[in-house]
Amino acid sequence: MDRAQPSPPVEKRVDGAVSNPELEREIKQLGGELHGSFPSALRHPVRAVDARAMEMASSDRELRAALFRFVDVVPACRSLDDVARHLTDFLDEVPEAPPPLEAAMRIAHTKAGRAALGAAAARGVRHIAHRFIVGETPRAALSVLSQLWNRGIASSVDLLGEATVTAAEADRYAHRCAAALAELAAAVRGWPERPMLERDATGTLPRANLSVKVSALTPLLRADAPALGKQDAARRLRPLLVGAREQRAHIHIDMESLDSREAVLDLVLELLSEPEFAEGPSAGVVLQAYLRDSPQQLEQILAWTRAHTRTPPLQVRLVKGAYWDHELVQARQQGWPAPVFEVKAECDRNFETLTRRLLEARPAVRVAVASHNLRSVSHAIAYNRLLGAPDTELELQVLRGLGDELQDALAQHGFRVRTYCPVGDLVAGMAYLVRRLLENTSNEAFISEQARNTPLETLLAAP
Amino acid sequence: MTVLNRSPSTPARLAPFSNEPVLELRRAAVRARLEDALTALDRGLPLEVPVMVGDDARAGAGSRFDSTDPGDPERVVARAAQAHEGEVAAAVATAGEGFRRWSRKSAGDRALALTRAAGWMRDHRLELAALEVRECAKPWPEADADVCEAIDFLEYYARGAVALEAGRELIQVPGERNELRYAPRGVTAVVSPWNFPLAIPCGMAAASLATGNAVVLKPAEQSPACALRLVEALRAGGVPAETISLLPGTGEVGAALVKDPGVHTIAFTGSMQVGLEIVRAAAEPHRGQHHLKRVVAELGGKNCVLVDADADLDEAVPEIVSSAFVYAGQKCSAAARVLVHEAILEPLLERLAGAVRVLVVGQAADLETVVPPVIERAAKERVDRYRELAGRTGRLVAAAEPVPEGGWFCPPTLATDLPPDSPVLAEEIFGPLLTVEPIGDIEEGCEIIERLPYALTGGLFARDPATVRFVSSRTPVGNLYVNRGTTGAKVGRQPFGGNKLSGTGSKAGGPDYLLQFVEPRAVTENTMRHGIVVH
């Protein structure tokens, strides 16, 4: 919002969080409405099964590890027999396997049994994967994307791929991105008008939207020498920015682990500072609220927007962050202080603080709040309204397969929601899939809390 | 339980051991401190390294030699005095004197000196790392990790020796009292290499000192200044001068030292060839020598990495490449041979080749550098010979070329299609050359590993837990790393050392290491007198 506009009254709580009765009322009201639109498990028998599987996986650490390691290895298996052997070898490591799995282990004693088990397990993994991955190629994904659009849901395409360890792989990824941009830009021209999804106060929002990973654009991304990977990625990202500008597409640079954050953020801000990109393309960066130093990071981004007024404004996608386990394990192994919040409530509070700071910083930035946490989402909408801004001035984002219910509820209530849609083959998708499964079966995950039927009041309570 | 003999200065309890955290170089503010440290170091070069026998530091008595920057051989890092035979004998005699006093101190007192030495290293941390960057061309992250490992050895062995002083529990029956105690052996000759120029000599010296031995240190002639800093740290911590002496010099100094009859233990890390010479020399008792010398040896390796068909190549490729090429492959733990399931030979070879081509070869001081120059001209010539042989009898798949001029740079290279009896596949090259061979299955790979004379480290990339169990029970290597790189053992977490011709299996940084530096003594006292048990 315009800085001249007065901020709504807030009072500081002892723990530093902000409490505002009007805001809280609005959050409860909105959250209740959105929650009321979630489909009940009865109406979605397939999702109910998935939810039960997720809950089973969440409740037993050993089993969860075994199942995820299995899901992870399936694409690398050479035969159904190989699939079955891996499954039984992983389950062998679980001290007390649940009865259905015991039965699976018994049938694996014969070759025919293994083939049957392998086929069933591979089908199961494919089923899960297809819930999260919209298609093997951008072309194959187009029908899903246009269906979403027709239902009032925007999308961002993420091209899954193997890790980039060679220059050829980086070139290949850049080429795939360029091709996807062209394909998306051509396809979206035929889509019907959806004003909520394609316009805000600062101008047009491109229909075609591609998320790009810097780690895939160079084999040289190294935490202790960020300049090297940055330079190498820049020569592949620059043509993509030109392509996006020419085809009026949005390009969003994803954030990954902390090891690459400096290189990624510096790269994007440096490239977008070039005069060539002062008037496009529409571009965005990501802010990870689980990082303790994310408020300083946001200030760095906002300082940049003050120094470089560009049209359209930079979009900032606020996320919790998907590498929590990785960051914590790495820090413990190295003896470093944890870079992420270890208490969920602290992270949630920071998410809300950053949300408010971002919403107040408009129109210098466009704001996208990406969360499956009903409280965080309701808070963003409520605060936006409290600032007197229309709902069009806030974008909400969810992940395909994990935020489907929230996505539908948000669209139904007339909010602008964009679904992050991974595209790629099963091998490439596994790292993504396992990260998402881990994230969402952790005991503190919002989705597993929902699966456990936590009362709405608790789900919407201030963190 | 035996009561600890503590003097008033002894800390009642040392905090539990934890590894010294390496620098968080992903933070710009941390990286920014490195350049200043290097500039400060450069201002003081070359350093003078004297022969240090007890309190006596002799700078210019005999001949001298220089250590130089491998990335710029014109730059002299240190001018060192070459110890002569008389100084070797004097150092051992002084150590014998020092041993008498040092061994009478409690383990707690000795631990205090070692942990203070660790503190001195922490205070001089960047300066020490900068010296390794210059003297040994260790890239910053490696140099920093080496300083941390040196600190870890001091802290870990200090604690281990305090625990060991309590002895072990024995069976006790009425009428007798049984005790098992560990006494220091005497004088340790520490003969150390240049590739971990602080951590390895520090580990061998710290274990000796913690358990009550005196040390005479003969460091590699390539890294005398790093060794000087180690001696300074120990003395600053409170280790008496007579208990730690420094004999800079070339191979003959080490040869004279290990032959000296006053030496009880020889702690050596280096090549298999020199290690075997030491074992032979140590076996021959001299006139007046009333003890058997014990040799603690960490020798070379020909480390293999097995890659099964279900491996995650996204993970395997970067880990293999860094295991083979970081610090130009000059680690005894470095990966040398990849044995890959034939089903994934092609994708692995292609991805490894691409990853090798983008390796950054450069000066150790540049943070971008993965592959610095090798240590000296002879090393470059050796690596070049093996590379030429690999190209002539097999196929060079990829290399990162051209390499910078001026230093001892060798292009990191990936080779394949070598004949099974090729020396390239059997001998330790100790440079940036990695070979790849297909195997029919993991068992075949294990058989290849078993036929090697070495058994230091090994790697396995496989995701079936049954395969992991099979390989861990089948391979004789001292350190098997599963789904990670083969280098970077941490004190207390990966006790390090090899078997077969790779070493005496003594496991540096592990719970058993100190036992190499002590002799066990059992005391059994009859506590019955005229039918009365006095206890």
Side-chain angles (χ1 to χ4, degrees), chain A residues 357-375:
Chain A
R357 180 80 182 98
L358 274 167
L359 290 174
E360 288 161 6
R362 293 170 300 176
V365 287
R366 278 175 160 164
V367 182
V369 171
S371 172
H372 300 141
N373 185 321
L374 194 57
R375 158 81 199 185

PDB file of all heavy atoms in Angstrom, chain A residues 357-375:
ATOM      1  N   ARG A 357       4.718  -6.791   6.754  1.00  0.00           N
ATOM      2  CA  ARG A 357       5.738  -5.891   6.212  1.00  0.00           C
ATOM      3  C   ARG A 357       5.625  -5.822   4.683  1.00  0.00           C
ATOM      4  O   ARG A 357       5.746  -4.740   4.092  1.00  0.00           O
ATOM      5  CB  ARG A 357       7.117  -6.408   6.629  1.00  0.00           C
ATOM      6  CG  ARG A 357       8.280  -5.573   6.150  1.00  0.00           C
ATOM      7  CD  ARG A 357       8.477  -4.347   7.038  1.00  0.00           C
ATOM      8  NE  ARG A 357       9.582  -3.516   6.548  1.00  0.00           N
ATOM      9  CZ  ARG A 357       9.429  -2.425   5.800  1.00  0.00           C
ATOM     10  NH1 ARG A 357       8.227  -2.020   5.460  1.00  0.00           N
ATOM     11  NH2 ARG A 357      10.473  -1.730   5.406  1.00  0.00           N
ATOM     12  N   LEU A 358       5.390  -6.968   4.072  1.00  0.00           N
ATOM     13  CA  LEU A 358       5.263  -7.016   2.610  1.00  0.00           C
ATOM     14  C   LEU A 358       4.034  -6.245   2.141  1.00  0.00           C
ATOM     15  O   LEU A 358       4.102  -5.458   1.195  1.00  0.00           O
ATOM     16  CB  LEU A 358       5.159  -8.475   2.145  1.00  0.00           C
ATOM     17  CG  LEU A 358       6.482  -9.211   1.921  1.00  0.00           C
ATOM     18  CD1 LEU A 358       6.232 -10.708   1.778  1.00  0.00           C
ATOM     19  CD2 LEU A 358       7.189  -8.675   0.676  1.00  0.00           C
ATOM     20  N   LEU A 359       2.907  -6.494   2.805  1.00  0.00           N
ATOM     21  CA  LEU A 359       1.664  -5.839   2.371  1.00  0.00           C
ATOM     22  C   LEU A 359       1.783  -4.324   2.515  1.00  0.00           C
ATOM     23  O   LEU A 359       1.259  -3.574   1.695  1.00  0.00           O
ATOM     24  CB  LEU A 359       0.475  -6.380   3.177  1.00  0.00           C
ATOM     25  CG  LEU A 359       0.088  -7.838   2.868  1.00  0.00           C
ATOM     26  CD1 LEU A 359      -1.001  -8.323   3.822  1.00  0.00           C
ATOM     27  CD2 LEU A 359      -0.371  -8.006   1.426  1.00  0.00           C
ATOM     28  N   GLU A 360       2.515  -3.909   3.543  1.00  0.00           N
ATOM     29  CA  GLU A 360       2.683  -2.469   3.750  1.00  0.00           C
ATOM     30  C   GLU A 360       3.654  -1.857   2.738  1.00  0.00           C
ATOM     31  O   GLU A 360       3.659  -0.653   2.536  1.00  0.00           O
ATOM     32  CB  GLU A 360       3.189  -2.187   5.179  1.00  0.00           C
ATOM     33  CG  GLU A 360       2.112  -2.412   6.224  1.00  0.00           C
ATOM     34  CD  GLU A 360       2.681  -2.595   7.629  1.00  0.00           C
ATOM     35  OE1 GLU A 360       3.907  -2.443   7.808  1.00  0.00           O
ATOM     36  OE2 GLU A 360       1.892  -2.930   8.538  1.00  0.00           O
ATOM     37  N   ALA A 361       4.486  -2.702   2.147  1.00  0.00           N
ATOM     38  CA  ALA A 361       5.522  -2.182   1.232  1.00  0.00           C
ATOM     39  C   ALA A 361       4.984  -1.978  -0.186  1.00  0.00           C
ATOM     40  O   ALA A 361       5.703  -1.469  -1.043  1.00  0.00           O
ATOM     41  CB  ALA A 361       6.709  -3.137   1.204  1.00  0.00           C
ATOM     42  N   ARG A 362       3.756  -2.402  -0.459  1.00  0.00           N
ATOM     43  CA  ARG A 362       3.207  -2.170  -1.794  1.00  0.00           C
ATOM     44  C   ARG A 362       3.041  -0.673  -2.043  1.00  0.00           C
ATOM     45  O   ARG A 362       2.867   0.077  -1.075  1.00  0.00           O
ATOM     46  CB  ARG A 362       1.845  -2.880  -1.917  1.00  0.00           C
ATOM     47  CG  ARG A 362       1.958  -4.383  -1.877  1.00  0.00           C
ATOM     48  CD  ARG A 362       0.604  -5.023  -1.765  1.00  0.00           C
ATOM     49  NE  ARG A 362      -0.084  -4.597  -0.528  1.00  0.00           N
ATOM     50  CZ  ARG A 362      -1.330  -4.965  -0.234  1.00  0.00           C
ATOM     51  NH1 ARG A 362      -2.024  -5.746  -1.031  1.00  0.00           N
ATOM     52  NH2 ARG A 362      -1.893  -4.529   0.883  1.00  0.00           N
ATOM     53  N   PRO A 363       3.099  -0.160  -3.237  1.00  0.00           N
ATOM     54  CA  PRO A 363       3.156  -0.899  -4.495  1.00  0.00           C
ATOM     55  C   PRO A 363       4.577  -1.183  -4.989  1.00  0.00           C
ATOM     56  O   PRO A 363       4.759  -1.542  -6.138  1.00  0.00           O
ATOM     57  CB  PRO A 363       2.444   0.041  -5.456  1.00  0.00           C
ATOM     58  CG  PRO A 363       2.792   1.406  -4.933  1.00  0.00           C
ATOM     59  CD  PRO A 363       2.919   1.275  -3.450  1.00  0.00           C
ATOM     60  N   ALA A 364       5.586  -1.013  -4.117  1.00  0.00           N
ATOM     61  CA  ALA A 364       6.947  -1.292  -4.573  1.00  0.00           C
ATOM     62  C   ALA A 364       7.141  -2.777  -4.885  1.00  0.00           C
ATOM     63  O   ALA A 364       8.011  -3.152  -5.659  1.00  0.00           O
ATOM     64  CB  ALA A 364       7.949  -0.845  -3.504  1.00  0.00           C
ATOM     65  N   VAL A 365       6.336  -3.620  -4.238  1.00  0.00           N
ATOM     66  CA  VAL A 365       6.385  -5.060  -4.532  1.00  0.00           C
ATOM     67  C   VAL A 365       4.973  -5.574  -4.761  1.00  0.00           C
ATOM     68  O   VAL A 365       3.991  -4.979  -4.295  1.00  0.00           O
ATOM     69  CB  VAL A 365       6.997  -5.875  -3.356  1.00  0.00           C
ATOM     70  CG1 VAL A 365       8.488  -5.663  -3.257  1.00  0.00           C
ATOM     71  CG2 VAL A 365       6.302  -5.547  -2.044  1.00  0.00           C
ATOM     72  N   ARG A 366       4.902  -6.670  -5.494  1.00  0.00           N
ATOM     73  CA  ARG A 366       3.663  -7.446  -5.544  1.00  0.00           C
ATOM     74  C   ARG A 366       3.828  -8.575  -4.543  1.00  0.00           C
ATOM     75  O   ARG A 366       4.908  -9.136  -4.431  1.00  0.00           O
ATOM     76  CB  ARG A 366       3.464  -8.028  -6.938  1.00  0.00           C
ATOM     77  CG  ARG A 366       2.848  -7.047  -7.915  1.00  0.00           C
ATOM     78  CD  ARG A 366       2.797  -7.652  -9.297  1.00  0.00           C
ATOM     79  NE  ARG A 366       1.820  -6.946 -10.128  1.00  0.00           N
ATOM     80  CZ  ARG A 366       1.781  -7.045 -11.448  1.00  0.00           C
ATOM     81  NH1 ARG A 366       2.646  -7.824 -12.094  1.00  0.00           N
ATOM     82  NH2 ARG A 366       0.869  -6.396 -12.139  1.00  0.00           N
ATOM     83  N   VAL A 367       2.744  -8.891  -3.857  1.00  0.00           N
ATOM     84  CA  VAL A 367       2.872  -9.859  -2.772  1.00  0.00           C
ATOM     85  C   VAL A 367       2.128 -11.146  -3.095  1.00  0.00           C
ATOM     86  O   VAL A 367       0.964 -11.120  -3.495  1.00  0.00           O
ATOM     87  CB  VAL A 367       2.321  -9.267  -1.455  1.00  0.00           C
ATOM     88  CG1 VAL A 367       2.500 -10.269  -0.315  1.00  0.00           C
ATOM     89  CG2 VAL A 367       3.018  -7.952  -1.127  1.00  0.00           C
ATOM     90  N   ALA A 368       2.836 -12.264  -2.938  1.00  0.00           N
ATOM     91  CA  ALA A 368       2.191 -13.573  -3.035  1.00  0.00           C
ATOM     92  C   ALA A 368       2.460 -14.314  -1.740  1.00  0.00           C
ATOM     93  O   ALA A 368       3.612 -14.476  -1.342  1.00  0.00           O
ATOM     94  CB  ALA A 368       2.756 -14.351  -4.222  1.00  0.00           C
ATOM     95  N   VAL A 369       1.411 -14.724  -1.072  1.00  0.00           N
ATOM     96  CA  VAL A 369       1.570 -15.474   0.172  1.00  0.00           C
ATOM     97  C   VAL A 369       1.297 -16.938  -0.135  1.00  0.00           C
ATOM     98  O   VAL A 369       0.194 -17.309  -0.525  1.00  0.00           O
ATOM     99  CB  VAL A 369       0.619 -14.932   1.261  1.00  0.00           C
ATOM    100  CG1 VAL A 369       0.624 -15.849   2.478  1.00  0.00           C
ATOM    101  CG2 VAL A 369       1.039 -13.516   1.650  1.00  0.00           C
ATOM    102  N   ALA A 370       2.339 -17.755  -0.005  1.00  0.00           N
ATOM    103  CA  ALA A 370       2.231 -19.174  -0.362  1.00  0.00           C
ATOM    104  C   ALA A 370       2.261 -20.007   0.904  1.00  0.00           C
ATOM    105  O   ALA A 370       3.296 -20.127   1.542  1.00  0.00           O
ATOM    106  CB  ALA A 370       3.375 -19.559  -1.294  1.00  0.00           C
ATOM    107  N   SER A 371       1.105 -20.544   1.254  1.00  0.00           N
ATOM    108  CA  SER A 371       1.030 -21.335   2.482  1.00  0.00           C
ATOM    109  C   SER A 371      -0.203 -22.230   2.419  1.00  0.00           C
ATOM    110  O   SER A 371      -1.179 -21.909   1.759  1.00  0.00           O
ATOM    111  CB  SER A 371       0.917 -20.400   3.688  1.00  0.00           C
ATOM    112  OG  SER A 371       0.659 -21.144   4.855  1.00  0.00           O
ATOM    113  N   HIS A 372      -0.115 -23.358   3.110  1.00  0.00           N
ATOM    114  CA  HIS A 372      -1.290 -24.208   3.271  1.00  0.00           C
ATOM    115  C   HIS A 372      -1.878 -24.052   4.668  1.00  0.00           C
ATOM    116  O   HIS A 372      -2.796 -24.761   5.051  1.00  0.00           O
ATOM    117  CB  HIS A 372      -0.932 -25.673   3.024  1.00  0.00           C
ATOM    118  CG  HIS A 372      -0.404 -25.894   1.648  1.00  0.00           C
ATOM    119  ND1 HIS A 372       0.634 -26.740   1.375  1.00  0.00           N
ATOM    120  CD2 HIS A 372      -0.762 -25.351   0.469  1.00  0.00           C
ATOM    121  CE1 HIS A 372       0.902 -26.716   0.083  1.00  0.00           C
ATOM    122  NE2 HIS A 372       0.065 -25.877  -0.496  1.00  0.00           N
ATOM    123  N   ASN A 373      -1.265 -23.177   5.421  1.00  0.00           N
ATOM    124  CA  ASN A 373      -1.707 -22.976   6.791  1.00  0.00           C
ATOM    125  C   ASN A 373      -2.880 -21.991   6.778  1.00  0.00           C
ATOM    126  O   ASN A 373      -2.729 -20.829   6.415  1.00  0.00           O
ATOM    127  CB  ASN A 373      -0.527 -22.421   7.602  1.00  0.00           C
ATOM    128  CG  ASN A 373      -0.859 -22.281   9.070  1.00  0.00           C
ATOM    129  OD1 ASN A 373      -1.974 -21.900   9.429  1.00  0.00           O
ATOM    130  ND2 ASN A 373       0.107 -22.577   9.913  1.00  0.00           N
ATOM    131  N   LEU A 374      -4.048 -22.508   7.160  1.00  0.00           N
ATOM    132  CA  LEU A 374      -5.278 -21.716   7.076  1.00  0.00           C
ATOM    133  C   LEU A 374      -5.144 -20.416   7.856  1.00  0.00           C
ATOM    134  O   LEU A 374      -5.633 -19.367   7.429  1.00  0.00           O
ATOM    135  CB  LEU A 374      -6.438 -22.560   7.619  1.00  0.00           C
ATOM    136  CG  LEU A 374      -7.842 -22.066   7.333  1.00  0.00           C
ATOM    137  CD1 LEU A 374      -8.080 -21.896   5.841  1.00  0.00           C
ATOM    138  CD2 LEU A 374      -8.872 -23.024   7.931  1.00  0.00           C
ATOM    139  N   ARG A 375      -4.472 -20.477   8.981  1.00  0.00           N
ATOM    140  CA  ARG A 375      -4.281 -19.284   9.807  1.00  0.00           C
ATOM    141  C   ARG A 375      -3.421 -18.243   9.051  1.00  0.00           C
ATOM    142  O   ARG A 375      -3.783 -17.075   8.974  1.00  0.00           O
ATOM    143  CB  ARG A 375      -3.599 -19.696  11.118  1.00  0.00           C
ATOM    144  CG  ARG A 375      -2.871 -18.603  11.847  1.00  0.00           C
ATOM    145  CD  ARG A 375      -3.788 -17.732  12.681  1.00  0.00           C
ATOM    146  NE  ARG A 375      -3.123 -16.457  12.985  1.00  0.00           N
ATOM    147  CZ  ARG A 375      -3.616 -15.521  13.778  1.00  0.00           C
ATOM    148  NH1 ARG A 375      -4.795 -15.702  14.351  1.00  0.00           N
ATOM    149  NH2 ARG A 375      -2.958 -14.416  14.000  1.00  0.00           N
TER     150      ARG A 375
END
